Structures are given as C-alpha cells and as structure tokens.
Amino acid sequence: MGLPLTMHDGFATRLVDLLQGPAGSSEVVLDVVLEVLRSSPGAFAIYEGCQTVTPSLSRILTAITTSMQALLPRIQEMTAHPATSLDDSDGQRLSRWARVAGTLIESFTQILWVEVAVAEVVIAFLGACFVVHPHVAQSVFELWAILKDANRDSKLPAGVLPGLLQRLAPPCITSFVRFGRHDSPYADDHADLMQLRSAQEDILVDMYCIAAGTDEAHQILVLLCDHLQRFEGAKDWHGVEVCWFAFRGIAEVLVDEPSLPAMYQPVLQSVFRAELPAEEHCATAANLLRVCGPHFNQA
C-alpha cells in the first residue's frame, strides 16, 4: 500500500486534509497513517541506506508532526494530573497518537535529528507520552530498544544520543516511579502491573546501557536516587520499593563490573532504614541485596 500510494500527490493531499480536519485523530485515519509509515519509501532509511523521501511523503510527515504539536498542550496538561482511566475521548485520541509516534520513530528514526524544529516537537511528544498514562506509554516503550540497536550499529550521528538521554530520561524515570508502584491505580490487575514493571525495568536498563561510560549514565542514577530520597523522606514505602526495583535491574547488568557506581551506597543504606510493611517490599529489598552481593564479596 505505502509504496504506490505515497508517490501520488492526490493521495498525500487527501491524507493531509484528513489529518488537519476533524477526523484527524480518528482510528481509521491513523490506521492509514500507520501503514504509510511502515511501508513507504524512505522507511528504515538508517538501515536501508539513503533513500530520498518523496515530496508527497514529506508533506504527510509534516502533517503528522504538526498534529503532534497541536496536541502537545493538552497532553502536557494531562501529565500534571494523569487520569487513571483512558475511557474518555482525550485518552483514546492520545493512545492512537502514541502508536503513531512509536511507529514514526521506528520507521523514520532520523526524524529525531534531521530537522531541529521537528525533532523538538517529536521529543517533547514522546516525553509526554511516557508520563500521561501507562497505556499511552506502552506505545512508545520500544523507543529505547530502537535507539540501543541504532547506537550499537553506529547509525546515530555524534551528539544525538546524549541530547536524547538528557531530554527523555527524566520522563521515563518519572513514568516508572508513577506507574510501577505496587499501589498503582493505573493497572487493571496484578498481572498487568507485573508486566508493566518488567517492561519499564527493561527501558531503564536499556537507557543505562546506552549511556554507559558517559555523564548521562550517572545522571540516570542521580534522578533515580532523588526519587528514592523523596519517597523515603515522605515514608512512601511503595515509592521506595519501586526505586529499589529499578536499581536492582541496573545492578544485574553490572554484575561483571569490578564495582558498583558510588550512587549505590546510599541506595543500599536505605534498605536498612526502611519500614517494610508488605511482603513485596521485603522481596525487592532482598533481591537488590542479592544482586549487589557479589560486589561485596569481591571487596
């Protein structure tokens, strides 16, 4: 579908008109957009080699990012007061657009650096998606796996990754500590929560692995530790537990390193100060100490 249709001006004109009109966030229109993103010439260009984006496709991409920019004020407002349910029209619309954002980054990763103004819009939209609701966030969870693979394959221009980490690590961490808590009102049931926590842990580990050896890796740990200290000060033990869970995940990928980052010292000390009112808190604390244990043995 994507190859023949996006080369026709008439198709692009009609799709752009739909995106800019009252039906622009409808499921049927955005399903067409998803198909265009996945199968158009120029998709996956960082791996397929340089392919020129046709003028028609360029117009569609511009319409997509313009629509994201128009949605930003509303989604940023929702991040400040996230709803537990996305049953309303705003929630459903944002969920659809989050899927578009995730597919856009997968298919046209270069949009994150080719044009500064467009990249600003897309990065701001992605950051808001992570924080507004877990069902929205899940649509963009693959972002860091995509970036990790692109970085491994040397497909990212110099300087791009540090900038993305600086902009997107804070909302990703906020998302984790907001939605991954055992008392989270956002999960439909315990199994959904466990799946969400596991997926968010993978994101944090991917972020840290991408940033390994840079100032951004340290900043990720600082952000997590700041959340931990605030939760401990407020005696918010569910918040403390979710931070321990994050640090445990990162520690697992550091098991063969000669030592843990210094930031782990206050984290581990917090285990012995904390009140542990629930079995899951004790289990996470024990797992954190177990994973960090080999480093103490080496010492």
Side-chain angles (χ1 to χ4, degrees):
M1 173 180 175
L3 177 60
L5 287 181
T6 56
M7 296 181 68
H8 291 286
D9 285 339
F11 172 80
T13 298
R14 181 57 178 154
L15 184 54
V16 168
D17 288 344
L18 287 169
L19 283 168
Q20 294 173 343
S25 294
S26 67
E27 185 173 3
V28 65
V29 171
L30 293 185
D31 279 349
V32 174
V33 169
L34 290 172
E35 180 64 26
V36 166
L37 291 175
R38 293 181 183 122
S39 55
S40 292
F44 310 102
I46 64 170
Y47 289 100
E48 301 295 335
C50 183
Q51 296 184 30
T52 301
V53 173
T54 65
S56 297
L57 178 58
S58 180
R59 290 169 56 206
I60 294 171
L61 295 178
T62 298
I64 291 170
T65 55
T66 300
S67 296
M68 287 182 178
Q69 187 172 26
L71 283 168
L72 261 178
R74 177 57 182 146
I75 192 173
Q76 289 170 336
E77 178 185 343
M78 291 177 70
T79 64
H81 306 285
T84 57
S85 173
L86 286 180
D87 291 337
D88 62 14
S89 58
D90 271 351
Q92 294 171 8
R93 177 176 57 169
L94 292 176
S95 293
R96 289 193 288 267
W97 272 103
R99 289 195 294 273
V100 171
T103 305
L104 176 66
I105 298 309
E106 181 180 13
S107 301
F108 294 88
T109 313
Q110 67 272 22
I111 206 168
L112 292 172
W113 62 81
V114 170
E115 295 184 34
V116 174
V118 172
E120 284 292 313
V121 171
V122 175
I123 292 168
F125 191 86
L126 289 167
C129 283
F130 274 108
V131 181
V132 70
H133 192 278
H135 291 170
V136 175
Q138 285 168 337
S139 296
V140 293
F141 273 1
E142 289 301 310
L143 169 68
W144 292 106
I146 292 166
L147 293 175
K148 182 173 73 171
D149 290 346
N151 186 55
R152 178 199 62 206
D153 298 334
S154 301
K155 300 297 184 180
L156 300 180
V160 166
L161 199 52
L164 291 173
L165 285 163
Q166 291 162 15
R167 291 285 303 278
L168 291 174
C172 288
I173 291 170
T174 297
S175 175
F176 185 87
V177 301
R178 176 178 288 181
F179 303 135
R181 302 163 55 97
H182 276 291
D183 63 346
S184 170
Y186 301 94
D188 295 330
D189 55 40
H190 183 72
D192 285 345
L193 177 61
M194 294 301 99
Q195 185 177 3
L196 176 66
R197 279 165 61 99
S198 177
Q200 289 191 302
E201 181 187 44
D202 289 344
I203 288 171
L204 291 179
V205 171
D206 281 346
M207 278 198 309
Y208 190 82
C209 290
I210 290 171
T214 69
D215 291 342
E216 286 71 36
H218 176 70
Q219 188 59 30
I220 289 169
L221 298 180
V222 168
L223 289 168
L224 280 169
C225 201
D226 286 347
H227 281 287
L228 173 63
Q229 291 170 348
R230 285 198 295 273
F231 289 139
E232 185 181 8
K235 295 187 180 297
D236 179 353
W237 306 119
H238 286 295
V240 168
E241 185 275 339
V242 77
C243 291
W244 288 343
F245 185 71
F247 278 107
R248 181 202 64 83
I250 293 172
E252 283 193 331
V253 302
L254 298 174
V255 67
D256 293 325
E257 296 297 317
S259 63
L260 289 170
M263 195 62 64
Y264 270 82
Q265 182 174 349
V267 174
L268 296 175
Q269 289 173 346
S270 73
V271 173
F272 301 101
R273 294 192 300 266
E275 300 171 17
L276 302 175
E279 180 180 343
E280 56 263 22
H281 299 169
C282 297
T284 301
N287 281 329
L288 174 63
L289 295 174
R290 175 186 57 79
V291 172
C292 295
H295 296 283
F296 302 128
N297 294 334
Q298 291 171 11

